[in-house]
């Protein structure tokens, strides 16, 4: 019997048998694929309905759909991995045409698809196959040769490499055996009614032609039965591997091939990190926050199936890097595993096919739960960073426990531990690096909300800070009556009397700007010095401004990030009422946390969205550009910039602080390896400014160590939290006399005033 490429007539039964086997295999694979996808959609539908249309990205957005999906913008943050994935992505698109051609030839006696410039098409296919196979080898090298800490190892993470590698090899061997099986018949035209075979010239087959020559050298003669059998075997192998891969994809992390584009398309267009308000007056609500996986929105559950487990999020996480249990990647993976197991139990539909087809019950009495394993952190030196202890601890702790029903597993405690939740600084570096648009922080805050509002649980030092905010409107519990003391102190030190809005109103006057001091500026002596320099600069520029004095309260950011939405909303309403009373149209604050809350979250509760909210660096940069401030005194300092998370990643403000520094004569800027959108958190966000770290090394020490690598004389910041953390880190590392931490406003004031 001749091969499927033979010109001589093929036995009728084999011709139709091949079609029948092909149709059965394709029908079965597509059926299983659709069934698996449908069941996972059912699991996602267990979440609360989300108005997906509200999440659409605006055209031209920095995080636009096309830039993320087609341009791999986030993936290219790691250039080598990004290029490798680009080869996979576009390689598979190109190879779909080749797969169709290969299958068509197998079913139609070697007749190729009627494609124009077919030899060039064949050449493009062979080049693409080679590039994709090289990418597979390079991926294996990164995982097992370089042993990147962020990448998982083992049979399961490697299975896709075997699938892709096998697909590429079966293509090459099919093409090679095709050449051998059809060589002696090539060009003979139509014989016995069989169509002619189309074998491209060797010049258009740079891989399959040499491989065919090697096979011939190994004893497989052209036109022989061995060539026919080899062609049949590898054609079917390619088809079966391709269909098996199709069924495998939605049952693995590679479901992201389908879900990631959808996730990116529906990614919200609201400001990054803006938390969704809770309707605390909803009398029908059974609970607030996320106490079970169904409490997340369907969009949040879509995130779970979009995860590719690349580890980029964990690689940049300040908690993971300093020996805490939290790993953003494992957070998503554990939630996904729990959703899959619980969804299967609730719907009685197994997530695993074809095995689930003959199971009497969709899910047995077993479930993944967290064990009591902590990162084995050995601090060889202060400021050390490594994610390996966290990766190892997570891999060891997340395991299957027999006799446990998935629907009885507690989301907080058995899936995500409280330790993980309270380790998050809400810096959003994980989200900035995620190539599929996952949002980790809002899930953590939702679980914190449940702990705080429904169970009254939080670390004791966090609880103390919230009690102080509730009673005295500041985290230290200092008297409310002292909130305006900085005004008198400022006059003593600078000779400038800062007016209050009440005084301005009583005089029948108006000011252009409300200067919001914030709790740090009002109470913390170090932060006051920054505030005084801002006052001096505003006065020098002739800006009309006033402050609230005793009427100012906490913005509520700390309360909200810790999870006390009730306290936040009370403070929010009170502050909005005060702002409305004075008709405020423009707010300037030195605190990025207050800045972000006013600008992006207060409008949800009634703050006029037309009110301009600026960070002090934005205002000062504008005054410099207008010529209202002139930095004339030289400051010979080597400055490195620490970017505030809430100024940078939350509000995309990176240039304003640097523009101030560039305007100062004598200042040279030395960027850290991790800066701007990839800058590491100081460790104070998410309410952790008021909590102690109990494992690994302190985040601020790790960040200061990174800053010291560029040998600066000054670590510059634009946030009172960051300034405090940098100074504490310098003292702990005994660098406090050699290197100092200063706000950019202090450096600018020194250059403007000479002192």
């Amino acid at each position: 019997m001749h091969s499927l490429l033979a010109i001589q007539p093929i036995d009728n039964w084999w011709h139709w048998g091949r079609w029948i086997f092909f149709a059965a295999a394709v029908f079965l694979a597509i059926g299983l694929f659709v069934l698996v996808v449908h069941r996972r959609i059912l699991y996602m539908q267990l979440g609360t309905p989300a108005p997906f249309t509200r999440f659409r990205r605006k055209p031209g957005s920095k995080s636009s759909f096309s830039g993320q999906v087609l341009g791999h913008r986030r993936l290219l943050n790691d250039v080598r991995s990004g290029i490798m994935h680009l080869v996979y992505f576009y390689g598979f698109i190109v190879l779909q045409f080749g797969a169709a051609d290969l299958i068509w030839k197998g079913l139609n006696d070697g007749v190729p698809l009627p494609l124009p410039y077919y030899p060039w098409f064949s050449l493009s296919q062979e080049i693409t196959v080679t590039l994709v196979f090289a990418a597979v080898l390079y991926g294996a090298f990164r995982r097992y040769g370089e042993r990147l800490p962020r990448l998982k190892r083992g049979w399961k993470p490697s299975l896709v490499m075997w699938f892709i590698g096998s697909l590429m090899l079966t293509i090459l061997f099919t093409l090679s055996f095709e050449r051998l099986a059809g060589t002696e018949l090539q060009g003979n035209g139509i014989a016995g009614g069989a169509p002619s075979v189309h074998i491209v010239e060797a010049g258009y087959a740079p891989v399959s032609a040499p491989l065919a020559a090697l096979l011939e050298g190994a004893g497989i003669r052209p036109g022989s039965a061995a060539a026919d059998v080899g062609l049949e075997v590898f054609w079917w192998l390619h088809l079966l591997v391709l269909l098996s891969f199709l069924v495998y994809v939605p049952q693995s992390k590679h479901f992201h091939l389908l879900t990631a584009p959808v996730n990116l398309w529906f990614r919200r267009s609201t400001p990054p990190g803006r938390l969704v308000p809770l309707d605390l007056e909803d009398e029908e609500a059974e609970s607030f926050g996320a106490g079970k996986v169904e409490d997340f929105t369907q969009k949040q559950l879509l995130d779970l199936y979009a995860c590719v487990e690349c580890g980029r999020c964990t690689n940049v996480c300040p908690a993971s890097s300093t020996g805490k249990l939290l790993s953003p990647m494992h957070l998503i993976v554990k939630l996904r595993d729990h959703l899959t197991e619980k969804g299967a139990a609730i719907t009685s539909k197994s997530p695993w096919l074809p095995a689930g087809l003959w199971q009497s019950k969709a899910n047995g009495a077993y479930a993944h739960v967290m064990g009591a394993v902590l990162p084995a952190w050995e601090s060889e030196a202060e400021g050390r960073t490594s994610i390996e202890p966290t990766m190892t601890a997570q891999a060891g702790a997340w395991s299957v426990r027999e006799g446990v029903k998935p629907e009885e597993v507690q989301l907080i405690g058995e899936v995500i531990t409280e330790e993980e939740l309270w380790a998050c600084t809400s810096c959003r570096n994980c989200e900035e690096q995620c190539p599929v648009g996952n949002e980790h922080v809002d899930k953590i805050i939702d679980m914190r909300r449940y702990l705080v509002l429904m169970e009254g649980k939080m670390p004791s030092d966090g609880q103390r800070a919230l009690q102080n905010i509730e009673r005295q409107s500041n985290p230290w519990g200092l008297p409310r009556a002292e909130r305006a003391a900085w005004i008198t102190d400022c006059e003593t030190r600078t000779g400038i009397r800062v007016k209050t809005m009440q005084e301005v109103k009583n005089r029948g006057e108006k000011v252009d700007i409300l200067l919001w001091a914030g709790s740090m500026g009002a109470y913390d002596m170090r932060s006051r010095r920054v505030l005084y320099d801002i006052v001096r600069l505003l006065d020098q520029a002739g800006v009309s401004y006033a402050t609230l004095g005793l009427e100012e309260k906490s913005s509520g950011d700390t309360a909200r990030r810790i999870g006390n939405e009730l306290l936040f909303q009370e403070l929010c309403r009170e502050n909005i009422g005060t702002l409305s009373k004075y008709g405020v149209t423009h707010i300037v604050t030195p605190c990025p946390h207050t800045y972000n809350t006013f600008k992006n979250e207060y409008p949800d509760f009634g703050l006029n969205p037309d009110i301009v909210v600026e960070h002090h660096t934005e205002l000062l940069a504008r005054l410099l550009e207008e010529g209202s401030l002139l930095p004339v005194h030289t400051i010979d300092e080597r400055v490195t910039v620490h970017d505030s998370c809430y100024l940078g990643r939350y509000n995309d403000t990176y240039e304003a602080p640097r523009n101030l520094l560039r305007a100062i004569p004598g200042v040279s800027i030395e960027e850290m390896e991790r800066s701007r959108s990839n800058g590491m958190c100081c460790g104070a966000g998410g309410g952790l400014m008021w909590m102690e770290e109990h494992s690994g090394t302190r985040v601020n020490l790790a960040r200061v160590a990174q800053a010291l690598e560029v040998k600066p004389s000054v670590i510059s910041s634009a946030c009172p939290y960051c300034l405090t953390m940098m100074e504490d880190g310098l003292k702990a590392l005994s660098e406090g006399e050699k290197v100092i931490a200063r706000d950019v406003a202090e450096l600018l004031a020194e250059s403007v005033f000479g002192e």
Side-chain angles (χ1 to χ4, degrees), residues 107-173:
L107 296 172
N108 291 276
D109 305 333
V111 178
L113 289 172
L115 299 172
Y117 305 104
Y118 190 83
W120 291 102
F121 168 76
S122 297
L123 176 62
S124 70
Q125 291 296 308
E126 294 210 7
I127 292 174
T128 303
V129 166
T130 305
L131 288 174
V132 172
F133 189 71
V136 170
L137 295 178
Y138 182 64
F141 170 73
R142 296 213 84 187
R143 192 176 296 269
Y144 295 102
E146 292 186 24
R147 298 186 67 83
L148 294 182
R150 66 179 173 85
L151 297 177
K152 294 180 178 179
R153 281 168 280 279
W155 72 268
K156 194 172 181 180
S158 305
L159 191 56
V160 70
M161 290 190 290
W162 287 102
F163 266 120
I164 299 175
S166 298
L167 280 173
M168 300 306 106
L169 289 175
T170 53
I171 290 173
L172 292 175
F173 274 98

Side-chain angles (χ1 to χ4, degrees), residues 246-316:
L246 177 69
V247 176
Y248 168 76
V249 161
Q251 302 186 68
S252 70
K253 66 179 183 178
H254 300 284
F255 195 20
H256 79 273
L257 294 172
L258 302 176
T259 53
V262 178
N263 205 42
L264 288 166
W265 181 258
F266 286 112
R267 193 178 179 194
R268 61 186 177 190
S269 59
T270 54
R274 187 174 83 175
L275 298 176
V276 176
L278 294 182
D279 184 0
L280 299 174
E281 297 180 358
D282 183 1
E283 296 180 355
E284 297 181 0
E286 296 180 0
S287 66
F288 297 105
K292 54 184 185 295
V293 73
E294 304 97 297
D295 290 334
F296 291 117
T297 67
Q298 293 170 359
K299 171 60 178 65
Q300 288 176 311
L301 297 184
L302 176 62
D303 277 5
L304 310 183
Y305 286 121
C307 179
V308 68
E309 298 182 38
C310 63
R312 286 171 171 82
C313 52
T314 295
N315 200 48
V316 298

Side-chain angles (χ1 to χ4, degrees), residues 670-693:
E670 302 295 330
E671 296 284 6
M672 287 182 257
E673 181 179 353
R674 290 186 60 177
S675 63
R676 297 179 183 268
S677 62
N678 195 36
M680 183 176 175
C681 180
C682 71
L688 269 65
M689 177 74 180
W690 320 107
M691 302 184 204
E692 291 296 327
E693 298 179 44

Side-chain angles (χ1 to χ4, degrees), residues 4 31 54 81 140 235 245 254 313 330 356 370 380 451 486 553 562 588-589 620 625 650-651 661 698 710 730 742 750:
L4 63 153
R54 288 177 53 199
S81 291
W235 186 87
F245 192 26
H254 300 284
C313 52
H330 289 91
M370 279 291 284
E380 300 171 357
L451 278 177
W486 70 270
K553 291 181 172 62
I562 287 179
V588 172
T589 178
L620 294 177
E625 187 177 349
Y650 277 77
N651 289 283
L661 294 172
R698 287 165 53 195
V710 299
L730 286 169
R742 302 187 72 184
E750 183 178 340

